[in-house]
Amino acid sequence: MLSHTRAARFQWISVVVAVLAALAAVLLAPASAHADTGSASRGTVRHGLSQPDYSYADAIREAVWVDTGLDGDGDGRTDRVAVDIVRPSEPAAAGRKVPVIMDASPYYSCCGRGNENQLKTYDAAGKIVQAPLFYDNYFVPRGYASVLVDLAGTDRSDGCVDVGGPSDVQSAKAVVDWLNGRGRGYSARSGGHRVTAGWTNGKVGMIGKSWDGTIANGVAATGARGLKTIVPISSISSWYDYYFHQGAPLQDGPEWLSDYVESDSAHASCAAAQQKIIDGSPRTGDWTPFWTARDYVKDAGKVTASVFAVQGMQDLNVRTKHFGQWWQALAAHGVERKVWLSQTGHVDPFDYRRTDWVPTLQRWFDHYLLGVDNGIQKQPMADIERTVDHWTTDRVWPPAGTHTAALSLTPSATDGLGTLGTKHATRGSTESFTDDPNLWEEDWAAAADTATPAKTAFTTGVLTKDLRLSGGGTFTVTATSSTTSAHLSAVLVDLGPATVRNFLGNGEGIKTLGTRSCYGESTPGDSACFLDTAADTTTGDHTVFSRGWADLGHYASLAHGVPLVPGKPYTMTIQLAATDHVVPAGHRLALIVAGTDGGLILPPDTTPKVTVDLAHSVLRLPLVGGTGALSVRAGAAPRTTAAAADGTTAFRPAPAPSGTPAARLG
């Protein structure tokens, strides 16, 4: 029999050996075993994805009103915004904290969210029953809280809508602060007791389409602590660029939009705030302090959250200029980022690539909010819809080897038609057009090879190899006007037959089916099953894929436009919307220069004849391969015409407000 000392020593050695053996087993286990484990702060993870360990039916549903610290409606007390929360009960019972997926929106009661225009609904106690979209159904069982915020002045919130300004942004930032223990929450809209968010670890991801995603951009630009990632879908980066494009008005003023979404109570108390919007945003096209306060791009250096941007390259509502300038600014500051670029218009990826979108979004949130090492940040930066439902990827975007190529405009034997290439125009070469607001880019593109009075068109020869444009180009134009005002349009067109998403149709590239598919768990009041969609396509002989507009009177500065001196030349650089488009071999690239792009910009107060000085105008494009990528064969090719697949006429937008896509962000 061992002595007491020897027995104790032997027992101690046995314990050490056992511990070392267990540690070795863990360290030598295959990587897949690690992927299947959980942690103290999350449930089961399998194959890099969180698993639905928790009950959606038993989720905790509650409403909290968070103090913004602002008094937008001037009633003498600070505004509170309504926050509806759906969170799993099991982690709370076990003392485990969960991260948050947040969607802050002005649309929860006025207009609805998603393809089915879902609204918030409540039970008799005021607790949320239906939370729009799939985020709660899908992510709450996987260990997330779903938080839906009514922006100030909307639905159940105090305050006034200020269209992307301090009130809108603070509506959501105050909630991020509250979730991180820095703000004040209450159990009621007025009075009530203090409520804390002890159930969350403070890690917040914001997501949303259009205005919702715009607020995510705005909060990220404040550098809000605790905001770990944002997923802005077709979202604004600078509100000036939603209402103007380099001085050219795109639609009527922001006061219309605030009036559209405000609650009845806000209508009754926000007249002064509404007047501030009107006073701060004159229809001159001048940049004012109002727009500076709504420019998130200038504050990209404050962004600490990762960014997963999604953009329809044919979005004529929130145009790709917003994505392009935001992406460029984020890149300059080294922000971790990812992007999906589709051929659709103003459409959520849930409605054009659902089976890939949901697991990709989950991996993104799992990594940045749950800390799952699933490699999402090492995957290709960009997914691009190259043709309908066919996607390609790039390790970085724009891809390596993208360089700016300068293309010149030269005249031809036919007035109004010219050549686009590397040959420079001779001094004194000009082309002219007369503004016609009754026409727009589709009219111009359809007649690209025909001389017409309202536009000039410059085309390359037939391409002998594919030409890829990746990013945003510019068109520097020297022009004279016959009158004191002129608006300019520069449009890039792929001339050749193609089947594309029907982005000008009612669904902006999708059609809604009668079947449903389910993502997450349902309750009697909140179904996880959503109407399926499919691509809506059309076939034609041209594709407009990038455009830019400007008011020539703002040639010197956005701060102050001036009347033009008739006959005097002015030089201005027009920014072209970011895109990623391949003009296939056998097609031609065209630049169309014209006046008012009817339905997309508003006309000037005169009807000018504009003369373009070709020798002092240049198109600069981001080409993969640079100037050497442009390879054409000599001689013009006959235009191949392909009739629309459905025999219908393309939808033409009308100036907002009119109920058209441009009239409403959502």
Side-chain angles (χ1 to χ4, degrees):
M1 192 171 177
L2 296 172
S3 69
H4 178 74
T5 302
R6 291 181 62 198
R9 185 180 302 159
F10 181 80
Q11 187 177 32
W12 178 82
I13 293 173
S14 299
V15 170
V16 171
V17 170
V19 169
L20 291 175
L23 180 61
V26 171
L27 293 175
L28 296 175
S32 59
H34 288 283
D36 291 345
T37 63
S39 76
S41 60
R42 65 177 186 242
T44 305
V45 175
R46 187 172 297 115
H47 305 301
L49 292 172
S50 56
Q51 298 301 302
D53 294 336
Y54 310 119
S55 168
Y56 180 69
D58 295 333
I60 298 168
R61 295 168 182 265
E62 57 191 329
V64 176
W65 278 262
V66 171
D67 195 321
T68 67
L70 304 176
D71 182 12
D73 51 19
D75 64 356
R77 62 184 183 88
T78 51
D79 304 325
R80 296 181 184 180
V81 292
V83 182
D84 292 300
I85 301 165
V86 185
R87 56 187 176 90
S89 60
E90 295 90 342
R96 291 168 52 186
K97 298 185 177 184
V98 298
V100 168
I101 296 173
M102 186 168 95
D103 188 344
S105 176
Y107 291 130
Y108 285 131
S109 64
C110 75
C111 323
R113 305 310 297 129
N115 192 37
E116 299 177 49
N117 297 316
Q118 291 184 317
L119 302 171
K120 283 182 177 180
T121 63
Y122 298 92
D123 63 17
K127 294 180 180 179
I128 192 164
V129 174
Q130 176 177 270
L133 306 176
F134 76 100
Y135 306 137
D136 57 316
N137 308 86
Y138 189 83
F139 285 104
V140 169
R142 287 165 170 79
Y144 295 85
S146 175
V147 171
L148 289 73
V149 182
D150 297 331
L151 294 189
T154 71
D155 202 8
R156 303 200 297 175
S157 291
D158 299 332
C160 302
V161 177
D162 68 353
V163 191
S167 177
D168 275 15
V169 173
Q170 182 62 15
S171 296
K173 182 181 181 296
V175 178
V176 175
D177 289 340
W178 174 71
L179 291 166
N180 281 271
R182 299 189 299 271
R184 293 174 296 165
Y186 297 88
S187 61
R189 186 168 181 173
S190 61
H193 59 269
R194 287 283 295 272
V195 178
T196 60
W199 45 266
T200 178
N201 59 16
K203 294 182 178 180
V204 180
M206 292 185 67
I207 188 171
K209 171 175 169 265
S210 201
W211 200 330
D212 305 19
T214 299
I215 300 305
N217 286 340
V219 176
T222 70
R225 288 179 292 137
L227 183 62
K228 300 300 183 182
T229 191
I230 62 170
V231 184
I233 301 167
S234 291
S235 301
I236 292 169
S237 59
S238 174
W239 281 84
Y240 175 89
D241 297 306
Y242 185 70
Y243 287 97
F244 299 97
H245 199 290
Q246 294 182 250
L250 304 178
Q251 51 190 299
D252 289 341
E255 70 277 4
W256 183 89
L257 197 54
S258 62
D259 184 71
Y260 187 69
V261 301
E262 274 185 343
S263 64
D264 290 341
S265 61
H267 279 312
S269 57
C270 291
Q274 185 81 336
Q275 190 60 48
K276 286 182 180 179
I277 293 174
I278 296 170
D279 294 342
S281 57
R283 304 309 297 151
T284 60
D286 292 350
W287 186 289
T288 65
F290 179 92
W291 302 118
T292 302
R294 290 157 177 80
D295 176 20
Y296 314 134
V297 178
K298 74 179 189 313
D299 292 322
K302 298 178 183 178
V303 176
T304 59
S306 61
V307 179
F308 186 173
V310 180
Q311 180 69 46
M313 290 185 286
Q314 294 290 9
D315 191 340
L316 297 179
N317 182 346
V318 179
R319 301 156 182 88
T320 58
K321 184 177 192 294
H322 292 277
F323 155 72
Q325 62 193 10
W326 186 230
W327 182 267
Q328 191 173 25
L330 295 172
H333 292 285
V335 175
E336 199 162 5
R337 63 204 184 279
K338 183 177 178 65
V339 65
W340 275 21
L341 297 172
S342 74
Q343 285 191 355
T344 67
H346 199 60
V347 183
D348 193 296
F350 187 76
D351 294 317
Y352 61 72
R353 201 187 181 196
R354 187 174 301 180
T355 56
D356 291 313
W357 171 244
V358 174
T360 302
L361 182 63
Q362 183 186 350
R363 284 188 177 89
W364 187 263
F365 280 146
D366 280 357
H367 176 71
Y368 288 101
L369 299 182
L370 286 179
V372 178
D373 185 12
N374 54 25
I376 185 73
Q377 79 282 11
K378 299 175 183 177
Q379 292 179 353
M381 179 181 286
D383 279 33
I384 300 164
E385 188 177 23
R386 188 60 60 207
T387 57
V388 178
D389 283 333
H390 173 237
W391 292 74
T392 61
T393 62
D394 286 287
R395 186 182 62 82
V396 296
W397 194 88
T402 302
H403 303 289
T404 299
L407 303 181
S408 299
L409 286 57
T410 54
S412 71
T414 304
D415 288 345
L417 302 180
T419 300
L420 185 64
T422 55
K423 180 181 178 181
H424 294 284
T426 58
R427 190 178 183 86
S429 299
T430 63
E431 292 287 357
S432 299
F433 60 86
T434 300
D435 195 340
D436 185 350
N438 294 311
L439 302 176
W440 76 310
E441 59 189 43
E442 285 293 321
D443 299 315
W444 306 330
D449 293 320
T450 303
T452 56
K455 61 103 175 69
T456 58
F458 304 88
T459 59
T460 67
V462 176
L463 300 180
T464 60
K465 60 182 181 181
D466 292 353
L467 181 68
R468 181 179 176 186
L469 295 85
S470 188
T474 62
F475 176 51
T476 299
V477 59
T478 298
T480 61
S481 172
S482 64
T483 63
T484 57
S485 62
H487 292 166
L488 300 176
S489 297
V491 174
L492 295 181
V493 187
D494 178 341
L495 296 177
T499 297
V500 299
R501 285 188 182 265
N502 184 21
F503 63 91
L504 295 175
N506 289 334
E508 301 190 53
I510 66 165
K511 54 187 175 183
T512 303
L513 308 178
T515 58
R516 292 182 178 272
S517 56
C518 304
Y519 287 82
E521 298 181 18
S522 300
T523 62
D526 193 327
S527 175
C529 304
F530 298 85
L531 289 170
D532 294 316
T533 63
D536 178 22
T537 64
T538 186
T539 300
D541 64 357
H542 66 268
T543 305
V544 177
F545 63 89
S546 182
R547 64 279 286 170
W549 309 283
D551 169 56
L552 190 56
H554 283 82
Y555 73 97
S557 170
L558 283 184
H560 184 58
V562 298
L564 303 174
V565 176
K568 179 181 178 179
Y570 298 90
T571 299
M572 186 174 193
T573 296
I574 301 173
Q575 303 292 324
L576 300 178
T579 189
D580 196 298
H581 183 84
V582 173
V583 184
H587 288 203
R588 292 173 295 147
L589 171 65
L591 167 69
I592 294 177
V593 184
T596 300
D597 197 345
L600 295 179
I601 66 173
L602 301 179
D605 57 5
T606 64
T607 305
K609 180 178 181 179
V610 177
T611 300
V612 178
D613 181 346
L614 303 186
H616 295 91
S617 300
V618 62
L619 175 67
R620 293 182 174 87
L621 298 179
L623 301 182
V624 179
T627 305
L630 179 63
S631 176
V632 301
R633 67 171 181 259
R639 188 84 170 272
T640 302
T641 301
D646 56 5
T648 60
T649 302
F651 163 79
R652 176 181 173 177
S658 65
T660 65
R664 185 189 132 193
L665 270 172

mmCIF file of all heavy atoms in Angstrom, residues 314 343-345 347 388 499-511 535-539 644 646 648-651:
data_model
loop_
_atom_site.group_PDB
_atom_site.id
_atom_site.type_symbol
_atom_site.label_atom_id
_atom_site.label_comp_id
_atom_site.label_asym_id
_atom_site.label_seq_id
_atom_site.Cartn_x
_atom_site.Cartn_y
_atom_site.Cartn_z
ATOM 1 N N GLN A 314 -28.737 48.417 -62.473
ATOM 2 C CA GLN A 314 -29.724 49.138 -63.268
ATOM 3 C C GLN A 314 -30.765 49.812 -62.374
ATOM 4 O O GLN A 314 -31.904 50.018 -62.790
ATOM 5 C CB GLN A 314 -30.400 48.184 -64.270
ATOM 6 C CG GLN A 314 -29.464 47.650 -65.331
ATOM 7 C CD GLN A 314 -29.033 48.710 -66.342
ATOM 8 O OE1 GLN A 314 -29.296 49.895 -66.180
ATOM 9 N NE2 GLN A 314 -28.386 48.288 -67.406
ATOM 10 N N GLN A 343 -27.914 42.625 -62.059
ATOM 11 C CA GLN A 343 -28.449 43.308 -63.235
ATOM 12 C C GLN A 343 -29.825 43.914 -62.972
ATOM 13 O O GLN A 343 -30.427 44.485 -63.877
ATOM 14 C CB GLN A 343 -28.577 42.333 -64.415
ATOM 15 C CG GLN A 343 -27.282 41.975 -65.097
ATOM 16 C CD GLN A 343 -27.526 41.239 -66.399
ATOM 17 O OE1 GLN A 343 -28.647 40.908 -66.767
ATOM 18 N NE2 GLN A 343 -26.455 40.964 -67.120
ATOM 19 N N THR A 344 -30.312 43.817 -61.762
ATOM 20 C CA THR A 344 -31.662 44.277 -61.457
ATOM 21 C C THR A 344 -31.710 45.781 -61.249
ATOM 22 O O THR A 344 -30.687 46.465 -61.225
ATOM 23 C CB THR A 344 -32.191 43.616 -60.168
ATOM 24 O OG1 THR A 344 -31.414 44.090 -59.057
ATOM 25 C CG2 THR A 344 -32.110 42.108 -60.247
ATOM 26 N N GLY A 345 -32.938 46.273 -61.051
ATOM 27 C CA GLY A 345 -33.134 47.627 -60.583
ATOM 28 C C GLY A 345 -33.096 47.650 -59.064
ATOM 29 O O GLY A 345 -32.208 47.060 -58.434
ATOM 30 N N VAL A 347 -34.006 46.192 -56.238
ATOM 31 C CA VAL A 347 -34.522 44.896 -55.802
ATOM 32 C C VAL A 347 -33.601 44.309 -54.736
ATOM 33 O O VAL A 347 -32.376 44.416 -54.818
ATOM 34 C CB VAL A 347 -34.645 43.915 -56.989
ATOM 35 C CG1 VAL A 347 -35.254 42.588 -56.539
ATOM 36 C CG2 VAL A 347 -35.480 44.526 -58.111
ATOM 37 N N VAL A 388 -28.051 36.954 -67.122
ATOM 38 C CA VAL A 388 -29.174 36.661 -66.227
ATOM 39 C C VAL A 388 -28.943 35.368 -65.452
ATOM 40 O O VAL A 388 -28.754 34.298 -66.047
ATOM 41 C CB VAL A 388 -30.488 36.577 -67.027
ATOM 42 C CG1 VAL A 388 -31.650 36.232 -66.097
ATOM 43 C CG2 VAL A 388 -30.756 37.895 -67.754
ATOM 44 N N THR A 499 -29.999 39.322 -74.102
ATOM 45 C CA THR A 499 -31.127 39.068 -73.205
ATOM 46 C C THR A 499 -30.689 39.485 -71.812
ATOM 47 O O THR A 499 -29.690 38.993 -71.286
ATOM 48 C CB THR A 499 -31.527 37.587 -73.214
ATOM 49 O OG1 THR A 499 -31.970 37.237 -74.528
ATOM 50 C CG2 THR A 499 -32.658 37.320 -72.228
ATOM 51 N N VAL A 500 -31.426 40.416 -71.236
ATOM 52 C CA VAL A 500 -31.068 40.988 -69.939
ATOM 53 C C VAL A 500 -32.284 40.952 -69.021
ATOM 54 O O VAL A 500 -33.403 40.666 -69.453
ATOM 55 C CB VAL A 500 -30.576 42.445 -70.090
ATOM 56 C CG1 VAL A 500 -29.335 42.502 -70.963
ATOM 57 C CG2 VAL A 500 -31.678 43.338 -70.645
ATOM 58 N N ARG A 501 -32.040 41.246 -67.755
ATOM 59 C CA ARG A 501 -33.176 41.417 -66.845
ATOM 60 C C ARG A 501 -33.976 42.644 -67.277
ATOM 61 O O ARG A 501 -33.410 43.677 -67.624
ATOM 62 C CB ARG A 501 -32.699 41.573 -65.404
ATOM 63 C CG ARG A 501 -32.234 40.273 -64.752
ATOM 64 C CD ARG A 501 -31.967 40.487 -63.284
ATOM 65 N NE ARG A 501 -31.480 39.287 -62.631
ATOM 66 C CZ ARG A 501 -32.240 38.403 -61.983
ATOM 67 N NH1 ARG A 501 -33.557 38.601 -61.923
ATOM 68 N NH2 ARG A 501 -31.724 37.352 -61.405
ATOM 69 N N ASN A 502 -35.270 42.513 -67.216
ATOM 70 C CA ASN A 502 -36.160 43.596 -67.626
ATOM 71 C C ASN A 502 -36.261 44.619 -66.500
ATOM 72 O O ASN A 502 -37.285 44.746 -65.835
ATOM 73 C CB ASN A 502 -37.538 43.031 -67.994
ATOM 74 C CG ASN A 502 -38.482 44.090 -68.516
ATOM 75 O OD1 ASN A 502 -38.044 45.151 -68.970
ATOM 76 N ND2 ASN A 502 -39.774 43.816 -68.445
ATOM 77 N N PHE A 503 -35.180 45.374 -66.329
ATOM 78 C CA PHE A 503 -35.120 46.308 -65.209
ATOM 79 C C PHE A 503 -36.081 47.479 -65.386
ATOM 80 O O PHE A 503 -36.360 48.198 -64.431
ATOM 81 C CB PHE A 503 -33.692 46.814 -65.009
ATOM 82 C CG PHE A 503 -33.129 47.602 -66.158
ATOM 83 C CD1 PHE A 503 -33.266 48.975 -66.209
ATOM 84 C CD2 PHE A 503 -32.448 46.968 -67.187
ATOM 85 C CE1 PHE A 503 -32.747 49.709 -67.261
ATOM 86 C CE2 PHE A 503 -31.922 47.689 -68.244
ATOM 87 C CZ PHE A 503 -32.078 49.065 -68.291
ATOM 88 N N LEU A 504 -36.594 47.672 -66.581
ATOM 89 C CA LEU A 504 -37.577 48.729 -66.809
ATOM 90 C C LEU A 504 -39.005 48.235 -66.626
ATOM 91 O O LEU A 504 -39.958 49.005 -66.754
ATOM 92 C CB LEU A 504 -37.409 49.312 -68.213
ATOM 93 C CG LEU A 504 -36.093 50.045 -68.462
ATOM 94 C CD1 LEU A 504 -35.983 50.475 -69.912
ATOM 95 C CD2 LEU A 504 -35.966 51.248 -67.544
ATOM 96 N N GLY A 505 -39.177 46.956 -66.331
ATOM 97 C CA GLY A 505 -40.506 46.410 -66.069
ATOM 98 C C GLY A 505 -40.964 46.714 -64.661
ATOM 99 O O GLY A 505 -40.216 47.246 -63.832
ATOM 100 N N ASN A 506 -42.199 46.355 -64.356
ATOM 101 C CA ASN A 506 -42.774 46.663 -63.042
ATOM 102 C C ASN A 506 -41.990 46.029 -61.898
ATOM 103 O O ASN A 506 -41.906 46.593 -60.805
ATOM 104 C CB ASN A 506 -44.232 46.215 -62.994
ATOM 105 C CG ASN A 506 -45.126 47.082 -63.860
ATOM 106 O OD1 ASN A 506 -44.808 48.243 -64.105
ATOM 107 N ND2 ASN A 506 -46.224 46.525 -64.342
ATOM 108 N N GLY A 507 -41.414 44.836 -62.115
ATOM 109 C CA GLY A 507 -40.652 44.169 -61.062
ATOM 110 C C GLY A 507 -39.183 44.514 -61.074
ATOM 111 O O GLY A 507 -38.415 43.972 -60.273
ATOM 112 N N GLU A 508 -38.763 45.390 -62.002
ATOM 113 C CA GLU A 508 -37.369 45.839 -62.106
ATOM 114 C C GLU A 508 -36.387 44.680 -62.237
ATOM 115 O O GLU A 508 -35.282 44.713 -61.698
ATOM 116 C CB GLU A 508 -37.000 46.756 -60.946
ATOM 117 C CG GLU A 508 -37.868 48.003 -60.865
ATOM 118 C CD GLU A 508 -37.372 49.026 -59.874
ATOM 119 O OE1 GLU A 508 -36.196 49.411 -59.969
ATOM 120 O OE2 GLU A 508 -38.173 49.431 -59.003
ATOM 121 N N GLY A 509 -36.816 43.640 -62.962
ATOM 122 C CA GLY A 509 -35.925 42.520 -63.228
ATOM 123 C C GLY A 509 -36.370 41.212 -62.626
ATOM 124 O O GLY A 509 -35.728 40.178 -62.838
ATOM 125 N N ILE A 510 -37.461 41.225 -61.848
ATOM 126 C CA ILE A 510 -37.995 39.976 -61.288
ATOM 127 C C ILE A 510 -39.495 39.902 -61.548
ATOM 128 O O ILE A 510 -40.150 40.916 -61.781
ATOM 129 C CB ILE A 510 -37.747 39.861 -59.771
ATOM 130 C CG1 ILE A 510 -38.532 40.946 -59.008
ATOM 131 C CG2 ILE A 510 -36.264 39.919 -59.443
ATOM 132 C CD1 ILE A 510 -38.655 40.703 -57.519
ATOM 133 N N LYS A 511 -40.015 38.693 -61.509
ATOM 134 C CA LYS A 511 -41.458 38.488 -61.511
ATOM 135 C C LYS A 511 -41.804 37.608 -60.322
ATOM 136 O O LYS A 511 -41.033 36.718 -59.939
ATOM 137 C CB LYS A 511 -41.928 37.850 -62.815
ATOM 138 C CG LYS A 511 -41.237 36.565 -63.206
ATOM 139 C CD LYS A 511 -41.668 36.115 -64.596
ATOM 140 C CE LYS A 511 -40.898 34.887 -65.053
ATOM 141 N NZ LYS A 511 -41.264 34.483 -66.437
ATOM 142 N N ALA A 535 -36.464 35.397 -62.658
ATOM 143 C CA ALA A 535 -35.978 36.505 -63.471
ATOM 144 C C ALA A 535 -37.023 36.885 -64.515
ATOM 145 O O ALA A 535 -37.630 36.033 -65.157
ATOM 146 C CB ALA A 535 -34.678 36.115 -64.153
ATOM 147 N N ASP A 536 -37.225 38.175 -64.649
ATOM 148 C CA ASP A 536 -38.040 38.729 -65.731
ATOM 149 C C ASP A 536 -37.064 39.254 -66.770
ATOM 150 O O ASP A 536 -36.275 40.160 -66.481
ATOM 151 C CB ASP A 536 -38.932 39.851 -65.198
ATOM 152 C CG ASP A 536 -39.775 40.495 -66.288
ATOM 153 O OD1 ASP A 536 -39.998 39.853 -67.332
ATOM 154 O OD2 ASP A 536 -40.199 41.655 -66.102
ATOM 155 N N THR A 537 -37.083 38.697 -67.958
ATOM 156 C CA THR A 537 -36.084 39.041 -68.962
ATOM 157 C C THR A 537 -36.708 39.711 -70.181
ATOM 158 O O THR A 537 -37.907 39.615 -70.424
ATOM 159 C CB THR A 537 -35.316 37.795 -69.418
ATOM 160 O OG1 THR A 537 -36.220 36.888 -70.066
ATOM 161 C CG2 THR A 537 -34.659 37.097 -68.238
ATOM 162 N N THR A 538 -35.855 40.385 -70.916
ATOM 163 C CA THR A 538 -36.254 40.983 -72.182
ATOM 164 C C THR A 538 -35.065 40.917 -73.124
ATOM 165 O O THR A 538 -33.907 40.903 -72.678
ATOM 166 C CB THR A 538 -36.724 42.442 -71.990
ATOM 167 O OG1 THR A 538 -37.236 42.945 -73.221
ATOM 168 C CG2 THR A 538 -35.595 43.330 -71.513
ATOM 169 N N THR A 539 -35.339 40.867 -74.400
ATOM 170 C CA THR A 539 -34.289 40.796 -75.411
ATOM 171 C C THR A 539 -34.358 42.031 -76.296
ATOM 172 O O THR A 539 -35.437 42.448 -76.719
ATOM 173 C CB THR A 539 -34.432 39.529 -76.269
ATOM 174 O OG1 THR A 539 -34.332 38.385 -75.427
ATOM 175 C CG2 THR A 539 -33.345 39.459 -77.332
ATOM 176 N N ALA A 644 -38.290 42.757 -78.613
ATOM 177 C CA ALA A 644 -38.529 42.425 -77.207
ATOM 178 C C ALA A 644 -39.204 41.079 -77.102
ATOM 179 O O ALA A 644 -40.112 40.756 -77.855
ATOM 180 C CB ALA A 644 -39.392 43.495 -76.566
ATOM 181 N N ASP A 646 -41.258 39.816 -75.041
ATOM 182 C CA ASP A 646 -42.674 39.753 -74.707
ATOM 183 C C ASP A 646 -43.514 40.678 -75.571
ATOM 184 O O ASP A 646 -44.714 40.799 -75.386
ATOM 185 C CB ASP A 646 -42.890 40.096 -73.226
ATOM 186 C CG ASP A 646 -42.318 41.467 -72.864
ATOM 187 O OD1 ASP A 646 -41.841 42.168 -73.779
ATOM 188 O OD2 ASP A 646 -42.357 41.810 -71.675
ATOM 189 N N THR A 648 -43.672 43.806 -75.581
ATOM 190 C CA THR A 648 -44.182 44.987 -74.888
ATOM 191 C C THR A 648 -43.209 46.141 -75.023
ATOM 192 O O THR A 648 -42.042 45.967 -75.385
ATOM 193 C CB THR A 648 -44.403 44.698 -73.397
ATOM 194 O OG1 THR A 648 -43.152 44.321 -72.803
ATOM 195 C CG2 THR A 648 -45.395 43.564 -73.219
ATOM 196 N N THR A 649 -43.682 47.324 -74.720
ATOM 197 C CA THR A 649 -42.844 48.513 -74.738
ATOM 198 C C THR A 649 -42.240 48.716 -73.355
ATOM 199 O O THR A 649 -42.906 48.525 -72.348
ATOM 200 C CB THR A 649 -43.690 49.746 -75.117
ATOM 201 O OG1 THR A 649 -44.276 49.508 -76.398
ATOM 202 C CG2 THR A 649 -42.815 50.990 -75.184
ATOM 203 N N ALA A 650 -40.963 49.097 -73.332
ATOM 204 C CA ALA A 650 -40.286 49.276 -72.051
ATOM 205 C C ALA A 650 -40.950 50.381 -71.235
ATOM 206 O O ALA A 650 -41.379 51.392 -71.762
ATOM 207 C CB ALA A 650 -38.820 49.621 -72.280
ATOM 208 N N PHE A 651 -41.017 50.138 -69.945
ATOM 209 C CA PHE A 651 -41.508 51.146 -69.001
ATOM 210 C C PHE A 651 -40.629 52.385 -69.063
ATOM 211 O O PHE A 651 -39.415 52.304 -69.144
ATOM 212 C CB PHE A 651 -41.470 50.552 -67.588
ATOM 213 C CG PHE A 651 -41.558 51.560 -66.482
ATOM 214 C CD1 PHE A 651 -42.769 52.108 -66.128
ATOM 215 C CD2 PHE A 651 -40.424 51.960 -65.801
ATOM 216 C CE1 PHE A 651 -42.842 53.035 -65.098
ATOM 217 C CE2 PHE A 651 -40.485 52.884 -64.776
ATOM 218 C CZ PHE A 651 -41.701 53.417 -64.426
#
